[in-house]
Amino acid sequence: MELSPTLQEEFDIVIRRNPGEAEFHQAVREVLESLDPVIKKRPEYVEYGIIPRICEPNRQIIFKVNWQDDKGRVHTNRGFRVQFNSALGPYKGGLRFHPSVYLGIIKFLGFEQIFKNALTGMPIGGGKGGADFDPKGKSDNEIMRFCQAFMTELSGHIGHDIDVPAGDIGVGGREIGYMFGQYKRMTGRYESGVLTGKGLTWGGSRARTEATGYGTVFFADEMLKLSGESFDGKKLVISGSGNVAIYALEKAQQLGASVVAMSDSGGYIVDENGIDLEQMQDLKEVRRGRISEYADVNSQARYVEGGQIWDVPCDVALPCATQNELNIGGARALINNGCTLVAEGANMPSTPDAIRAFQKAGVRFAPGKAANAGGVATSALEMQQNASRDSWSFEHTEERLQEIMVGIHERCAETAEEYGRPGDYVTGANVGGFLRVADAMMAMGVI
Ligand code: GLU
């Protein structure tokens, strides 16, 4: 899509200022493509420089992380924390440990997080961090030493009113535990609200682990309801097999769907009988094994090495692995096989041309910043529980999560309608999130 001259000018500045950061450029462009009707209606946003101010992080922290492996060898990684926007609350967003991490990835994630967090309606700003550390094949002790070294460098920049990190790819309950322990040791404070995704006995929230996957399914369920449909009897393909994918599988099954394919970085499995949740949890969460092992012990299932999971026919696809995993080839396969709904559990998993293909073909499409906001929303619920030294039941927390997802869906649908693109959740999410942040920035003046 073409950008208007004003927005193209802003985008050129972003490209110039952030050379080589392709993922960040992609994330910014997608938001700017939605903003034309907004700046026409509210020219004061341009006058107040809201767009360049929103595209420039408040602060970008890059640090060295030295750690020792079990053999005593010293390794050096690069750590990041990008504190993007704090108009609505303390910076909030996860930490990603993955060898592909560089500044451009953290910036794209941080940028997305601003709008996602705004859409939740909770008082949280946007930020993201991580390291180019590869947790694969590392021992538990190596993970601990890396997390401690990482937190030693990060600790001076975070706090429950400043910046509250959580997990993302490669960072789950175990890593949050090691980082929380190191922060506690360094500061001498039991500051529960400094990290989210904590364990249940030490300040964590029930349903946080499940929240992103559950939330994506709740959001997709709202989309289905608009045409009188439900998950009951639907055939699903879910990419990935991490925290998001596994709990999307659980909730989809609870709502009567059958999930026939899931994947990891090596390939995908197909089980036409419906993937077994308990086996998948044991394989991926307890044993940390490869997805191919599922097919080794289930004769009705098959494993496809490499390839694209989107070739498996389905009614609904939930990309829950990583950015740009669903390209135009995947989109075409889904469309040709009759898929009618795509909701993103990962951050920016669909490429721009894939999104355009879905929209052209009339496939309902929900972007990650709306559909996967349940994770961070439940993090905000964890912060609430920490602040009031309370601990809610699973049922209550899940109910709150569902209310929030219904609210986000409503906000996206209404905003898309108001801005002349009914049914376009990309516009709804980008504009809905942007308006909240922009209005807060306007109210606070030039700071
Ligand atoms: N990493 C998650 C996301 O992409 C969760 C962030 C959080 O809980 O702060 O939204």
Side-chain angles (χ1 to χ4, degrees):
M1 194 193 282
E2 291 272 301
L3 291 172
S4 69
T6 311
L7 290 169
Q8 184 64 49
E9 227 170 89
E10 304 290 12
F11 187 54
D12 290 342
I13 296 173
V14 171
I15 306 249
R16 220 172 36 239
R17 220 177 235 159
N18 306 278
E21 297 176 359
E23 297 82 1
F24 180 50
H25 302 165
Q26 183 184 334
V28 170
R29 186 170 180 111
E30 192 209 279
V31 171
L32 295 187
E33 282 180 359
S34 300
L35 292 186
D36 203 34
V38 179
I39 58 168
K40 282 209 179 91
K41 217 170 171 172
R42 306 280 300 271
E44 66 271 25
Y45 288 147
V46 176
E47 203 177 310
Y48 267 77
I50 295 295
I51 292 166
R53 284 166 62 194
I54 241 176
C55 292
E56 180 68 11
N58 290 4
R59 191 168 297 110
Q60 307 178 52
I61 304 151
I62 304 181
F63 47 89
K64 178 168 71 173
V65 186
N66 293 328
W67 60 281
Q68 228 168 351
D69 68 21
D70 290 342
K71 295 197 178 88
R73 228 184 114 193
V74 177
H75 299 264
T76 298
N77 283 97
R78 184 173 282 185
F80 302 89
R81 186 70 184 168
V82 172
Q83 300 178 331
F84 225 117
N85 189 294
S86 58
L88 297 179
Y91 306 105
K92 181 85 198 83
L95 298 170
R96 175 175 294 191
F97 292 169
H98 192 271
S100 66
V101 163
Y102 77 106
L103 190 56
I105 294 268
I106 300 300
K107 263 151 81 176
F108 116 65
L109 291 164
F111 186 74
E112 291 270 302
Q113 202 81 45
I114 305 171
F115 305 97
K116 180 195 312 198
N117 295 4
L119 281 171
T120 67
M122 325 279 290
I124 41 179
K128 203 87 186 190
D132 58 359
F133 169 74
D134 188 358
K136 229 184 251 160
K138 303 290 187 294
S139 73
D140 205 59
N141 275 320
E142 288 172 334
I143 297 284
M144 182 179 75
R145 284 196 294 276
F146 180 79
C147 288
Q148 290 176 341
F150 182 88
M151 182 50 83
T152 301
E153 298 303 321
L154 182 67
S155 59
H157 304 285
I158 60 174
H160 67 165
D161 284 330
I162 302 168
D163 182 355
V164 182
D168 194 81
I169 293 172
V171 178
R174 173 179 62 165
E175 292 74 17
I176 293 293
Y178 293 145
M179 286 192 272
F180 186 75
Q182 180 71 353
Y183 184 85
K184 184 168 80 68
R185 167 160 80 175
M186 292 181 66
T187 59
R189 291 157 60 90
Y190 204 104
E191 189 184 331
S192 299
V194 71
L195 292 173
T196 61
K198 299 182 293 295
L200 296 184
T201 54
W202 43 279
S205 172
R206 291 190 180 80
R208 175 62 190 88
T209 312
E210 294 83 355
T212 314
Y214 278 20
T216 303
V217 172
F218 287 145
F219 193 96
D221 197 33
E222 291 303 301
M223 295 166 78
L224 289 169
K225 278 183 196 160
L226 287 183
S227 53
E229 295 173 82
S230 77
F231 267 105
D232 198 24
K234 290 265 188 300
K235 208 172 172 180
L236 256 66
V237 164
I238 302 180
S239 64
S241 46
N243 173 53
V244 182
I246 284 178
Y247 292 98
L249 162 72
E250 180 173 65
K251 187 50 72 183
Q253 279 184 349
Q254 285 173 6
L255 297 182
S258 169
V259 178
V260 295
M262 286 177 83
S263 61
D264 66 13
S265 56
Y268 64 90
I269 51 152
V270 184
D271 183 349
E272 290 293 344
N273 293 352
I275 288 170
D276 187 285
L277 171 69
E278 273 174 35
Q279 277 191 46
M280 191 54 83
Q281 278 180 309
D282 179 58
L283 173 60
K284 281 293 175 179
E285 292 184 325
V286 183
R287 292 190 282 126
R288 298 177 192 268
R290 305 302 300 164
I291 209 161
S292 55
E293 294 166 40
Y294 182 94
D296 294 342
V297 293
N298 292 284
S299 56
Q300 81 287 0
R302 65 190 164 91
Y303 174 64
V304 181
E305 200 177 327
Q308 62 166 8
I309 191 173
W310 315 117
D311 288 333
V312 180
C314 63
D315 304 307
V316 173
L318 305 178
C320 296
T322 194
Q323 69 274 354
N324 293 329
E325 53 160 316
L326 203 179
N327 59 21
I328 185 69
R332 286 202 186 113
L334 287 168
I335 295 165
N336 290 339
N337 286 330
C339 172
T340 63
L341 192 151
V342 177
E344 296 184 330
N347 291 313
M348 208 169 76
S350 310
T351 58
D353 50 358
I355 299 174
R356 269 192 295 277
F358 291 137
Q359 290 174 331
K360 231 174 111 196
V363 173
R364 290 160 286 183
F365 174 80
K369 60 171 82 71
N372 76 31
V376 76
T378 309
S379 277
L381 299 178
E382 183 171 332
M383 291 162 73
Q384 268 182 40
Q385 292 169 76
N386 295 151
S388 57
R389 300 190 190 282
D390 199 357
S391 164
W392 305 343
S393 70
F394 191 93
E395 291 68 29
H396 175 68
T397 318
E398 189 186 357
E399 211 172 284
R400 292 285 309 268
L401 165 65
Q402 189 165 10
E403 276 167 21
I404 292 166
M405 295 315 294
V406 170
I408 297 173
H409 177 270
E410 215 171 82
R411 190 179 179 88
C412 291
E414 282 173 12
T415 309
E417 186 117 8
E418 194 185 328
Y419 283 82
R421 296 182 191 164
D424 176 356
Y425 290 92
V426 174
T427 299
N430 289 336
V431 175
F434 176 84
L435 290 175
R436 245 204 169 103
V437 181
D439 285 339
M441 289 171 73
M442 296 276 284
M444 291 177 203
V446 180
I447 51 169

